Amino acid sequence: MLRRALWLLPRPIAAARARSFSTDLPAAHTADATFMEAWNKVMPNMDPPKTPLSFMHPRPPIPSSIPPKLTVNFVLPYASELSTKEVDMVIVPATTGQMGVLPGHVATIAELKPGVLSVHEGSETTKYFVSSGFVFIHANSFADIIAVEAVPLDWIDANLVQKGLADFTQKLSSATTELEKAEAQIGIDVHSALNSAPTG
């Protein structure tokens, strides 16, 4: 039985090496000839539907040398804070810890936790408080930061944050259901991060 398992093991690995990524598309769009032929036989007077391939674009080329700047898109559900802004570095509050992103960073996807997002451009640093979201770092020195909520750090009122932290702490101690406990704990986590944001 072990011999049979070992014989099967190399096959998927070899197949995985040969298989290309779904985003490795040819530069020129090629239609599925078999599908188009079958469609034209059945519905000759109607344009064929668009397939997922028709919506995909080729992966951007990876530059041969590391560009001097990182291009950042920072968006919220209701606004775009930064759009194709060239910066020196961003520091994001990932769930695994603070993560610095420079030009040439390896392609990565990370979840954001409540904390401070810093955008460094020359000697200037712009800081935002983000509640949660994701950062998508591409191999071509582009970074897309998608946050659920974000505000500039200087908009935070320390007195309101302290009041909110006290309110959610009281709600946690008086919570009777698991839902109430979870909601109160989320409030405490966000307000604790807000409380430490001005020093971060």
Short mmCIF file of all heavy atoms in Angstrom, two decimals, residues 30-102:
data_model
loop_
_atom_site.label_atom_id
_atom_site.label_comp_id
_atom_site.label_asym_id
_atom_site.label_seq_id
_atom_site.Cartn_x
_atom_site.Cartn_y
_atom_site.Cartn_z
N THR A 30 -7.31 35.39 -27.19
CA THR A 30 -7.65 34.30 -28.10
C THR A 30 -8.98 33.72 -27.66
O THR A 30 -9.18 33.38 -26.50
CB THR A 30 -6.58 33.19 -28.06
OG1 THR A 30 -6.44 32.74 -26.73
CG2 THR A 30 -5.25 33.70 -28.58
N ALA A 31 -9.91 33.63 -28.57
CA ALA A 31 -11.24 33.09 -28.26
C ALA A 31 -11.18 31.56 -28.29
O ALA A 31 -10.35 30.98 -28.98
CB ALA A 31 -12.24 33.59 -29.26
N ASP A 32 -12.03 30.94 -27.53
CA ASP A 32 -12.12 29.48 -27.53
C ASP A 32 -12.79 29.07 -28.84
O ASP A 32 -14.01 29.19 -29.01
CB ASP A 32 -12.93 29.04 -26.31
CG ASP A 32 -13.01 27.53 -26.19
OD1 ASP A 32 -12.48 26.83 -27.08
OD2 ASP A 32 -13.60 27.06 -25.22
N ALA A 33 -11.98 28.58 -29.77
CA ALA A 33 -12.47 28.29 -31.13
C ALA A 33 -13.57 27.24 -31.13
O ALA A 33 -14.55 27.36 -31.87
CB ALA A 33 -11.30 27.85 -32.00
N THR A 34 -13.44 26.20 -30.31
CA THR A 34 -14.45 25.14 -30.27
C THR A 34 -15.79 25.70 -29.80
O THR A 34 -16.83 25.41 -30.38
CB THR A 34 -13.99 24.00 -29.34
OG1 THR A 34 -12.68 23.61 -29.71
CG2 THR A 34 -14.93 22.82 -29.41
N PHE A 35 -15.75 26.51 -28.75
CA PHE A 35 -16.97 27.09 -28.22
C PHE A 35 -17.62 28.02 -29.26
O PHE A 35 -18.83 27.98 -29.47
CB PHE A 35 -16.69 27.87 -26.93
CG PHE A 35 -17.87 28.64 -26.42
CD1 PHE A 35 -18.91 27.99 -25.78
CD2 PHE A 35 -17.97 30.01 -26.62
CE1 PHE A 35 -20.02 28.69 -25.33
CE2 PHE A 35 -19.07 30.72 -26.18
CZ PHE A 35 -20.10 30.05 -25.53
N MET A 36 -16.79 28.86 -29.89
CA MET A 36 -17.31 29.81 -30.88
C MET A 36 -17.97 29.07 -32.06
O MET A 36 -19.03 29.48 -32.53
CB MET A 36 -16.20 30.72 -31.39
CG MET A 36 -15.57 31.57 -30.31
SD MET A 36 -16.72 32.71 -29.58
CE MET A 36 -16.67 33.99 -30.78
N GLU A 37 -17.34 27.98 -32.48
CA GLU A 37 -17.88 27.20 -33.60
C GLU A 37 -19.23 26.59 -33.21
O GLU A 37 -20.21 26.66 -33.97
CB GLU A 37 -16.88 26.10 -33.97
CG GLU A 37 -17.25 25.31 -35.20
CD GLU A 37 -16.19 24.28 -35.52
OE1 GLU A 37 -15.00 24.62 -35.48
OE2 GLU A 37 -16.58 23.13 -35.79
N ALA A 38 -19.31 26.02 -32.00
CA ALA A 38 -20.56 25.42 -31.54
C ALA A 38 -21.64 26.49 -31.37
O ALA A 38 -22.80 26.27 -31.70
CB ALA A 38 -20.32 24.69 -30.22
N TRP A 39 -21.27 27.66 -30.85
CA TRP A 39 -22.24 28.73 -30.65
C TRP A 39 -22.81 29.19 -31.99
O TRP A 39 -24.01 29.39 -32.13
CB TRP A 39 -21.58 29.91 -29.93
CG TRP A 39 -22.53 31.04 -29.72
CD1 TRP A 39 -22.72 32.10 -30.53
CD2 TRP A 39 -23.45 31.20 -28.64
NE1 TRP A 39 -23.69 32.93 -30.03
CE2 TRP A 39 -24.16 32.40 -28.86
CE3 TRP A 39 -23.74 30.46 -27.50
CZ2 TRP A 39 -25.13 32.87 -28.00
CZ3 TRP A 39 -24.69 30.93 -26.63
CH2 TRP A 39 -25.39 32.11 -26.88
N ASN A 40 -21.94 29.38 -32.97
CA ASN A 40 -22.39 29.86 -34.28
C ASN A 40 -23.30 28.85 -34.98
O ASN A 40 -24.16 29.25 -35.77
CB ASN A 40 -21.19 30.21 -35.16
CG ASN A 40 -20.53 31.49 -34.70
OD1 ASN A 40 -21.17 32.37 -34.14
ND2 ASN A 40 -19.22 31.58 -34.91
N LYS A 41 -23.14 27.56 -34.68
CA LYS A 41 -24.05 26.56 -35.26
C LYS A 41 -25.44 26.67 -34.64
O LYS A 41 -26.44 26.55 -35.33
CB LYS A 41 -23.50 25.15 -35.03
CG LYS A 41 -22.36 24.77 -35.94
CD LYS A 41 -21.90 23.37 -35.64
CE LYS A 41 -20.68 23.02 -36.44
NZ LYS A 41 -20.16 21.70 -36.08
N VAL A 42 -25.49 26.89 -33.34
CA VAL A 42 -26.76 26.93 -32.63
C VAL A 42 -27.44 28.29 -32.75
O VAL A 42 -28.64 28.38 -32.96
CB VAL A 42 -26.54 26.57 -31.13
CG1 VAL A 42 -27.83 26.70 -30.35
CG2 VAL A 42 -25.98 25.17 -31.00
N MET A 43 -26.69 29.36 -32.61
CA MET A 43 -27.23 30.73 -32.60
C MET A 43 -26.46 31.61 -33.58
O MET A 43 -25.68 32.47 -33.17
CB MET A 43 -27.14 31.32 -31.19
CG MET A 43 -27.85 30.54 -30.13
SD MET A 43 -29.60 30.60 -30.29
CE MET A 43 -29.99 31.94 -29.24
N PRO A 44 -26.64 31.43 -34.88
CA PRO A 44 -25.83 32.17 -35.84
C PRO A 44 -26.12 33.68 -35.87
O PRO A 44 -25.26 34.45 -36.26
CB PRO A 44 -26.19 31.53 -37.18
CG PRO A 44 -27.51 30.89 -36.97
CD PRO A 44 -27.58 30.53 -35.53
N ASN A 45 -27.28 34.11 -35.43
CA ASN A 45 -27.64 35.53 -35.50
C ASN A 45 -27.41 36.29 -34.20
O ASN A 45 -27.83 37.44 -34.08
CB ASN A 45 -29.11 35.68 -35.91
CG ASN A 45 -29.37 35.09 -37.28
OD1 ASN A 45 -28.48 35.09 -38.12
ND2 ASN A 45 -30.56 34.58 -37.49
N MET A 46 -26.79 35.64 -33.24
CA MET A 46 -26.62 36.28 -31.93
C MET A 46 -25.14 36.24 -31.54
O MET A 46 -24.46 35.24 -31.74
CB MET A 46 -27.46 35.53 -30.90
CG MET A 46 -27.53 36.15 -29.56
SD MET A 46 -28.69 35.18 -28.56
CE MET A 46 -29.02 36.32 -27.29
N ASP A 47 -24.66 37.35 -30.96
CA ASP A 47 -23.27 37.39 -30.50
C ASP A 47 -23.06 36.39 -29.37
O ASP A 47 -23.94 36.23 -28.51
CB ASP A 47 -22.91 38.78 -29.99
CG ASP A 47 -22.83 39.80 -31.11
OD1 ASP A 47 -22.60 39.39 -32.26
OD2 ASP A 47 -22.99 41.01 -30.83
N PRO A 48 -21.92 35.73 -29.34
CA PRO A 48 -21.67 34.77 -28.26
C PRO A 48 -21.50 35.48 -26.92
O PRO A 48 -21.10 36.65 -26.88
CB PRO A 48 -20.37 34.08 -28.68
CG PRO A 48 -19.73 35.01 -29.63
CD PRO A 48 -20.82 35.80 -30.28
N PRO A 49 -21.83 34.80 -25.81
CA PRO A 49 -21.66 35.43 -24.49
C PRO A 49 -20.18 35.57 -24.16
O PRO A 49 -19.34 34.87 -24.71
CB PRO A 49 -22.35 34.44 -23.55
CG PRO A 49 -22.25 33.13 -24.25
CD PRO A 49 -22.33 33.43 -25.71
N LYS A 50 -19.92 36.47 -23.26
CA LYS A 50 -18.53 36.66 -22.80
C LYS A 50 -18.22 35.59 -21.76
O LYS A 50 -19.01 35.32 -20.87
CB LYS A 50 -18.34 38.04 -22.22
CG LYS A 50 -18.46 39.13 -23.25
CD LYS A 50 -18.04 40.45 -22.70
CE LYS A 50 -18.19 41.52 -23.74
NZ LYS A 50 -16.98 41.97 -24.31
N THR A 51 -17.07 35.00 -21.90
CA THR A 51 -16.60 33.99 -20.96
C THR A 51 -15.68 34.67 -19.95
O THR A 51 -15.25 35.81 -20.17
CB THR A 51 -15.86 32.87 -21.70
OG1 THR A 51 -14.73 33.46 -22.36
CG2 THR A 51 -16.74 32.19 -22.73
N PRO A 52 -15.35 34.01 -18.84
CA PRO A 52 -14.44 34.64 -17.88
C PRO A 52 -13.12 35.09 -18.50
O PRO A 52 -12.56 36.10 -18.11
CB PRO A 52 -14.23 33.54 -16.83
CG PRO A 52 -15.48 32.74 -16.89
CD PRO A 52 -15.89 32.75 -18.33
N LEU A 53 -12.64 34.35 -19.48
CA LEU A 53 -11.38 34.71 -20.13
C LEU A 53 -11.45 36.10 -20.78
O LEU A 53 -10.47 36.84 -20.79
CB LEU A 53 -11.02 33.65 -21.18
CG LEU A 53 -9.67 33.80 -21.86
CD1 LEU A 53 -8.56 33.67 -20.82
CD2 LEU A 53 -9.49 32.75 -22.93
N SER A 54 -12.63 36.48 -21.26
CA SER A 54 -12.74 37.78 -21.93
C SER A 54 -12.67 38.94 -20.93
O SER A 54 -12.45 40.08 -21.34
CB SER A 54 -14.03 37.85 -22.74
OG SER A 54 -15.16 37.72 -21.91
N PHE A 55 -12.85 38.68 -19.64
CA PHE A 55 -12.78 39.73 -18.63
C PHE A 55 -11.40 39.81 -17.97
O PHE A 55 -11.13 40.72 -17.21
CB PHE A 55 -13.83 39.50 -17.54
CG PHE A 55 -15.23 39.67 -18.05
CD1 PHE A 55 -16.01 38.57 -18.34
CD2 PHE A 55 -15.76 40.93 -18.25
CE1 PHE A 55 -17.30 38.72 -18.81
CE2 PHE A 55 -17.04 41.09 -18.73
CZ PHE A 55 -17.82 39.99 -19.02
N MET A 56 -10.55 38.84 -18.24
CA MET A 56 -9.23 38.82 -17.61
C MET A 56 -8.23 39.57 -18.46
O MET A 56 -8.29 39.55 -19.68
CB MET A 56 -8.78 37.38 -17.39
CG MET A 56 -9.65 36.64 -16.40
SD MET A 56 -9.16 34.94 -16.16
CE MET A 56 -7.65 35.16 -15.27
N HIS A 57 -7.31 40.23 -17.79
CA HIS A 57 -6.25 40.94 -18.48
C HIS A 57 -4.94 40.25 -18.17
O HIS A 57 -4.77 39.66 -17.09
CB HIS A 57 -6.18 42.39 -17.99
CG HIS A 57 -7.46 43.14 -18.22
ND1 HIS A 57 -7.88 43.52 -19.47
CD2 HIS A 57 -8.42 43.56 -17.36
CE1 HIS A 57 -9.03 44.14 -19.39
NE2 HIS A 57 -9.39 44.19 -18.11
N PRO A 58 -3.97 40.33 -19.07
CA PRO A 58 -2.67 39.72 -18.78
C PRO A 58 -2.06 40.32 -17.53
O PRO A 58 -2.28 41.49 -17.21
CB PRO A 58 -1.83 40.05 -20.02
CG PRO A 58 -2.82 40.37 -21.08
CD PRO A 58 -4.03 40.92 -20.39
N ARG A 59 -1.32 39.50 -16.80
CA ARG A 59 -0.64 39.97 -15.60
C ARG A 59 0.35 41.06 -15.99
O ARG A 59 1.05 40.93 -16.99
CB ARG A 59 0.10 38.79 -14.97
CG ARG A 59 0.77 39.12 -13.66
CD ARG A 59 1.45 37.91 -13.11
NE ARG A 59 0.45 36.96 -12.66
CZ ARG A 59 0.73 35.82 -12.08
NH1 ARG A 59 1.97 35.47 -11.90
NH2 ARG A 59 -0.22 35.01 -11.69
N PRO A 60 0.44 42.18 -15.24
CA PRO A 60 1.40 43.23 -15.60
C PRO A 60 2.82 42.68 -15.57
O PRO A 60 3.14 41.83 -14.72
CB PRO A 60 1.21 44.29 -14.50
CG PRO A 60 -0.03 43.94 -13.80
CD PRO A 60 -0.33 42.50 -14.06
N PRO A 61 3.65 43.14 -16.47
CA PRO A 61 5.02 42.61 -16.50
C PRO A 61 5.79 43.00 -15.25
O PRO A 61 5.59 44.10 -14.70
CB PRO A 61 5.63 43.25 -17.75
CG PRO A 61 4.81 44.48 -17.98
CD PRO A 61 3.44 44.18 -17.48
N ILE A 62 6.65 42.12 -14.80
CA ILE A 62 7.51 42.41 -13.66
C ILE A 62 8.73 43.14 -14.21
O ILE A 62 9.39 42.64 -15.13
CB ILE A 62 7.91 41.12 -12.93
CG1 ILE A 62 6.66 40.44 -12.37
CG2 ILE A 62 8.90 41.40 -11.81
CD1 ILE A 62 6.89 39.08 -11.80
N PRO A 63 9.04 44.33 -13.69
CA PRO A 63 10.17 45.07 -14.23
C PRO A 63 11.48 44.33 -14.02
O PRO A 63 11.64 43.59 -13.05
CB PRO A 63 10.14 46.39 -13.47
CG PRO A 63 9.19 46.22 -12.35
CD PRO A 63 8.37 45.01 -12.62
N SER A 64 12.42 44.54 -14.93
CA SER A 64 13.71 43.85 -14.83
C SER A 64 14.54 44.42 -13.68
O SER A 64 15.40 43.73 -13.14
CB SER A 64 14.48 43.96 -16.15
OG SER A 64 14.64 45.33 -16.49
N SER A 65 14.32 45.67 -13.31
CA SER A 65 14.99 46.26 -12.16
C SER A 65 13.93 46.82 -11.21
O SER A 65 12.82 47.11 -11.62
CB SER A 65 15.95 47.36 -12.61
OG SER A 65 15.24 48.40 -13.22
N ILE A 66 14.31 46.97 -9.97
CA ILE A 66 13.36 47.48 -8.97
C ILE A 66 13.13 48.97 -9.20
O ILE A 66 14.07 49.75 -9.24
CB ILE A 66 13.88 47.22 -7.55
CG1 ILE A 66 13.98 45.72 -7.30
CG2 ILE A 66 12.98 47.87 -6.50
CD1 ILE A 66 14.61 45.35 -5.98
N PRO A 67 11.85 49.37 -9.36
CA PRO A 67 11.59 50.80 -9.56
C PRO A 67 11.89 51.60 -8.29
O PRO A 67 11.89 51.05 -7.19
CB PRO A 67 10.09 50.85 -9.89
CG PRO A 67 9.54 49.55 -9.49
CD PRO A 67 10.66 48.56 -9.40
N PRO A 68 12.17 52.90 -8.45
CA PRO A 68 12.52 53.70 -7.26
C PRO A 68 11.35 53.98 -6.33
O PRO A 68 11.55 54.29 -5.17
CB PRO A 68 13.07 55.00 -7.87
CG PRO A 68 12.42 55.09 -9.21
CD PRO A 68 12.22 53.67 -9.67
N LYS A 69 10.12 53.87 -6.83
CA LYS A 69 8.95 54.20 -6.02
C LYS A 69 7.96 53.04 -6.02
O LYS A 69 7.91 52.23 -6.93
CB LYS A 69 8.24 55.45 -6.58
CG LYS A 69 9.06 56.71 -6.54
CD LYS A 69 9.09 57.29 -5.15
CE LYS A 69 9.75 58.66 -5.17
NZ LYS A 69 9.77 59.28 -3.85
N LEU A 70 7.15 53.00 -4.96
CA LEU A 70 6.05 52.06 -4.82
C LEU A 70 4.77 52.79 -5.22
O LEU A 70 4.52 53.90 -4.75
CB LEU A 70 5.95 51.58 -3.37
CG LEU A 70 4.79 50.68 -2.99
CD1 LEU A 70 4.99 49.29 -3.58
CD2 LEU A 70 4.68 50.58 -1.47
N THR A 71 3.97 52.20 -6.10
CA THR A 71 2.71 52.82 -6.51
C THR A 71 1.59 52.26 -5.64
O THR A 71 1.40 51.05 -5.58
CB THR A 71 2.43 52.54 -8.00
OG1 THR A 71 3.55 53.00 -8.76
CG2 THR A 71 1.19 53.27 -8.45
N VAL A 72 0.86 53.15 -4.96
CA VAL A 72 -0.14 52.74 -3.97
C VAL A 72 -1.52 53.22 -4.37
O VAL A 72 -1.71 54.36 -4.77
CB VAL A 72 0.22 53.31 -2.58
CG1 VAL A 72 -0.85 52.96 -1.56
CG2 VAL A 72 1.56 52.79 -2.12
N ASN A 73 -2.49 52.32 -4.24
CA ASN A 73 -3.91 52.64 -4.32
C ASN A 73 -4.50 52.34 -2.95
O ASN A 73 -4.36 51.22 -2.46
CB ASN A 73 -4.62 51.79 -5.38
CG ASN A 73 -4.10 52.07 -6.76
OD1 ASN A 73 -4.04 53.21 -7.19
ND2 ASN A 73 -3.71 51.02 -7.47
N PHE A 74 -5.11 53.33 -2.32
CA PHE A 74 -5.70 53.17 -0.99
C PHE A 74 -7.15 53.56 -1.09
O PHE A 74 -7.47 54.73 -1.30
CB PHE A 74 -4.93 54.03 0.02
CG PHE A 74 -5.47 54.01 1.41
CD1 PHE A 74 -6.11 52.89 1.94
CD2 PHE A 74 -5.34 55.12 2.23
CE1 PHE A 74 -6.60 52.89 3.24
CE2 PHE A 74 -5.82 55.12 3.54
CZ PHE A 74 -6.45 54.00 4.03
N VAL A 75 -8.05 52.57 -1.00
CA VAL A 75 -9.48 52.82 -1.22
C VAL A 75 -10.32 52.38 -0.04
O VAL A 75 -9.97 51.44 0.68
CB VAL A 75 -9.99 52.15 -2.52
CG1 VAL A 75 -9.33 52.75 -3.74
CG2 VAL A 75 -9.77 50.65 -2.48
N LEU A 76 -11.44 53.08 0.11
CA LEU A 76 -12.47 52.77 1.10
C LEU A 76 -13.74 52.48 0.32
O LEU A 76 -13.83 52.79 -0.87
CB LEU A 76 -12.68 53.96 2.03
CG LEU A 76 -11.42 54.49 2.73
CD1 LEU A 76 -11.71 55.81 3.41
CD2 LEU A 76 -10.90 53.47 3.71
N PRO A 77 -14.78 51.92 0.95
CA PRO A 77 -16.02 51.65 0.21
C PRO A 77 -16.65 52.91 -0.38
O PRO A 77 -17.36 52.84 -1.37
CB PRO A 77 -16.93 51.02 1.27
CG PRO A 77 -16.03 50.48 2.29
CD PRO A 77 -14.82 51.37 2.30
N TYR A 78 -16.40 54.06 0.19
CA TYR A 78 -17.05 55.29 -0.24
C TYR A 78 -16.09 56.33 -0.80
O TYR A 78 -16.53 57.41 -1.22
CB TYR A 78 -17.80 55.91 0.95
CG TYR A 78 -16.93 56.07 2.18
CD1 TYR A 78 -16.12 57.17 2.34
CD2 TYR A 78 -16.91 55.07 3.16
CE1 TYR A 78 -15.30 57.30 3.44
CE2 TYR A 78 -16.10 55.19 4.26
CZ TYR A 78 -15.30 56.31 4.40
OH TYR A 78 -14.48 56.43 5.48
N ALA A 79 -14.78 56.06 -0.83
CA ALA A 79 -13.83 57.07 -1.30
C ALA A 79 -12.50 56.42 -1.69
O ALA A 79 -12.21 55.30 -1.29
CB ALA A 79 -13.58 58.11 -0.22
N SER A 80 -11.73 57.17 -2.46
CA SER A 80 -10.37 56.76 -2.82
C SER A 80 -9.41 57.74 -2.17
O SER A 80 -9.36 58.91 -2.55
CB SER A 80 -10.21 56.75 -4.34
OG SER A 80 -8.89 56.44 -4.68
N GLU A 81 -8.68 57.29 -1.17
CA GLU A 81 -7.74 58.17 -0.46
C GLU A 81 -6.50 58.43 -1.30
O GLU A 81 -6.03 59.56 -1.39
CB GLU A 81 -7.33 57.55 0.88
CG GLU A 81 -8.44 57.52 1.91
CD GLU A 81 -8.82 58.90 2.40
OE1 GLU A 81 -7.94 59.77 2.56
OE2 GLU A 81 -10.02 59.13 2.62
N LEU A 82 -5.94 57.39 -1.91
CA LEU A 82 -4.76 57.52 -2.77
C LEU A 82 -5.02 56.74 -4.04
O LEU A 82 -5.48 55.60 -4.00
CB LEU A 82 -3.51 56.96 -2.08
CG LEU A 82 -3.10 57.56 -0.74
CD1 LEU A 82 -1.94 56.78 -0.15
CD2 LEU A 82 -2.72 59.02 -0.89
N SER A 83 -4.71 57.34 -5.17
CA SER A 83 -4.91 56.67 -6.45
C SER A 83 -3.61 56.76 -7.26
O SER A 83 -3.19 57.87 -7.63
CB SER A 83 -6.07 57.32 -7.21
OG SER A 83 -6.24 56.68 -8.45
N THR A 84 -3.00 55.62 -7.49
CA THR A 84 -1.71 55.49 -8.20
C THR A 84 -0.70 56.53 -7.72
O THR A 84 -0.04 57.19 -8.50
CB THR A 84 -1.89 55.57 -9.73
OG1 THR A 84 -2.46 56.83 -10.08
CG2 THR A 84 -2.75 54.45 -10.26
N LYS A 85 -0.61 56.65 -6.40
CA LYS A 85 0.33 57.59 -5.77
C LYS A 85 1.68 56.89 -5.63
O LYS A 85 1.75 55.79 -5.11
CB LYS A 85 -0.20 58.01 -4.41
CG LYS A 85 0.73 58.86 -3.62
CD LYS A 85 0.17 60.22 -3.46
CE LYS A 85 1.04 61.03 -2.52
NZ LYS A 85 1.09 62.39 -2.90
N GLU A 86 2.74 57.55 -6.10
CA GLU A 86 4.08 56.99 -5.98
C GLU A 86 4.68 57.45 -4.65
O GLU A 86 4.80 58.65 -4.39
CB GLU A 86 4.94 57.41 -7.16
CG GLU A 86 4.50 56.75 -8.46
CD GLU A 86 5.49 56.95 -9.58
OE1 GLU A 86 6.39 57.81 -9.46
OE2 GLU A 86 5.37 56.22 -10.58
N VAL A 87 5.05 56.47 -3.82
CA VAL A 87 5.59 56.74 -2.49
C VAL A 87 6.87 55.92 -2.28
O VAL A 87 7.17 55.02 -3.06
CB VAL A 87 4.56 56.43 -1.39
CG1 VAL A 87 3.30 57.26 -1.56
CG2 VAL A 87 4.20 54.95 -1.34
N ASP A 88 7.58 56.24 -1.20
CA ASP A 88 8.80 55.49 -0.89
C ASP A 88 8.49 54.18 -0.17
O ASP A 88 9.11 53.16 -0.43
CB ASP A 88 9.73 56.34 -0.02
CG ASP A 88 10.22 57.57 -0.75
OD1 ASP A 88 10.51 57.46 -1.96
OD2 ASP A 88 10.28 58.65 -0.13
N MET A 89 7.49 54.23 0.74
CA MET A 89 7.18 53.06 1.56
C MET A 89 5.84 53.23 2.22
O MET A 89 5.41 54.36 2.48
CB MET A 89 8.27 52.89 2.63
CG MET A 89 7.99 51.78 3.63
SD MET A 89 9.28 51.54 4.86
CE MET A 89 9.13 53.00 5.85
N VAL A 90 5.16 52.12 2.50
CA VAL A 90 3.98 52.12 3.36
C VAL A 90 4.21 51.09 4.46
O VAL A 90 4.86 50.07 4.25
CB VAL A 90 2.66 51.83 2.61
CG1 VAL A 90 2.32 52.93 1.65
CG2 VAL A 90 2.70 50.51 1.92
N ILE A 91 3.68 51.38 5.63
CA ILE A 91 3.71 50.42 6.74
C ILE A 91 2.26 50.14 7.08
O ILE A 91 1.49 51.06 7.40
CB ILE A 91 4.47 50.97 7.96
CG1 ILE A 91 5.91 51.27 7.57
CG2 ILE A 91 4.41 49.97 9.11
CD1 ILE A 91 6.72 51.95 8.67
N VAL A 92 1.87 48.86 6.99
CA VAL A 92 0.48 48.47 7.20
C VAL A 92 0.35 47.64 8.47
O VAL A 92 1.25 46.86 8.80
CB VAL A 92 -0.10 47.71 5.98
CG1 VAL A 92 -0.12 48.60 4.76
CG2 VAL A 92 0.67 46.44 5.71
N PRO A 93 -0.79 47.77 9.19
CA PRO A 93 -1.01 46.95 10.40
C PRO A 93 -1.61 45.59 10.03
O PRO A 93 -2.82 45.40 10.10
CB PRO A 93 -1.98 47.81 11.21
CG PRO A 93 -2.78 48.54 10.17
CD PRO A 93 -1.84 48.78 9.02
N ALA A 94 -0.78 44.66 9.61
CA ALA A 94 -1.27 43.33 9.25
C ALA A 94 -1.58 42.53 10.50
O ALA A 94 -1.08 42.84 11.59
CB ALA A 94 -0.22 42.60 8.40
N THR A 95 -2.40 41.51 10.35
CA THR A 95 -2.74 40.67 11.51
C THR A 95 -1.52 39.92 12.03
O THR A 95 -1.50 39.52 13.19
CB THR A 95 -3.85 39.65 11.14
OG1 THR A 95 -3.43 38.93 9.99
CG2 THR A 95 -5.17 40.35 10.88
N THR A 96 -0.49 39.78 11.19
CA THR A 96 0.74 39.11 11.62
C THR A 96 1.75 40.08 12.20
O THR A 96 2.83 39.67 12.63
CB THR A 96 1.39 38.37 10.42
OG1 THR A 96 1.58 39.33 9.36
CG2 THR A 96 0.52 37.24 9.94
N GLY A 97 1.41 41.38 12.22
CA GLY A 97 2.30 42.41 12.76
C GLY A 97 2.47 43.54 11.76
O GLY A 97 1.97 43.49 10.65
N GLN A 98 3.20 44.57 12.18
CA GLN A 98 3.45 45.70 11.28
C GLN A 98 4.27 45.21 10.09
O GLN A 98 5.27 44.52 10.25
CB GLN A 98 4.20 46.81 12.01
CG GLN A 98 3.41 47.49 13.11
CD GLN A 98 2.28 48.32 12.55
OE1 GLN A 98 1.15 47.88 12.57
NE2 GLN A 98 2.57 49.51 12.09
N MET A 99 3.86 45.59 8.88
CA MET A 99 4.54 45.12 7.68
C MET A 99 4.94 46.32 6.83
O MET A 99 4.08 47.10 6.39
CB MET A 99 3.63 44.18 6.89
CG MET A 99 4.28 43.62 5.66
SD MET A 99 3.33 42.27 4.89
CE MET A 99 2.00 43.17 4.14
N GLY A 100 6.23 46.49 6.61
CA GLY A 100 6.73 47.54 5.75
C GLY A 100 6.77 47.05 4.31
O GLY A 100 7.20 45.94 4.04
N VAL A 101 6.31 47.90 3.40
CA VAL A 101 6.28 47.54 1.98
C VAL A 101 7.10 48.57 1.21
O VAL A 101 6.79 49.76 1.23
CB VAL A 101 4.82 47.51 1.44
CG1 VAL A 101 4.81 47.09 -0.01
CG2 VAL A 101 3.96 46.59 2.28
N LEU A 102 8.14 48.08 0.55
CA LEU A 102 9.02 48.91 -0.26
C LEU A 102 8.88 48.50 -1.72
O LEU A 102 8.33 47.44 -2.02
CB LEU A 102 10.47 48.72 0.19
CG LEU A 102 10.83 49.23 1.58
CD1 LEU A 102 12.14 48.64 2.04
CD2 LEU A 102 10.89 50.74 1.59
#
